[in-house]
Amino acid sequence: MTNDICYNWKNLHYGGIKIMTPISLNQILERLETMKTEELHQLDRTIQKHLAKRQDTVKQAAFHQSLIDSGLVKQIKHPAYDAISDRQLISVKGKPVSETIIEERR
């Protein structure tokens, strides 16, 4: 393998995720020989989860791009998720708020 090929391989991107360098891949392949069966199964499950997640991400990106290309949308907005734990409960005196809402709707 020439240095040029090695350099190109290291900078190759797939779906926004940088692909492993051949050196680290070779190291992983060498370690496979020393792993126990259960460790290999765990590694396999982890790899399958990562592959499924990556495929979903690539499919979603392709879908979003097709929406933009077709002119159905101008941009894709990604929702900002606020942590629910940041909310604090308040105590209310009197009857439950749900009862008040039901009464007001009648």
Side-chain angles (χ1 to χ4, degrees), residues 17 37 41 43 57 62 68 72-73 78 88 94 96 101-102 104:
I17 300 171
T37 303
H41 287 296
L43 178 62
T57 302
I68 292 170
L72 291 173
V73 296
H78 301 284
Q88 293 183 353
I101 293 172
I102 291 171
E104 288 179 0

Side-chain angles (χ1 to χ4, degrees), residues 8-21 47 49-62:
N8 288 336
W9 176 256
K10 288 180 183 177
N11 290 310
L12 184 63
H13 286 74
Y14 176 76
I17 300 171
K18 190 171 184 176
I19 296 176
M20 274 189 235
T21 64
I47 290 170
K49 286 179 187 176
H50 282 283
L51 286 173
K53 190 184 295 184
R54 183 175 292 174
Q55 287 173 339
D56 289 345
T57 302
V58 169
K59 286 179 186 178
Q60 185 179 34

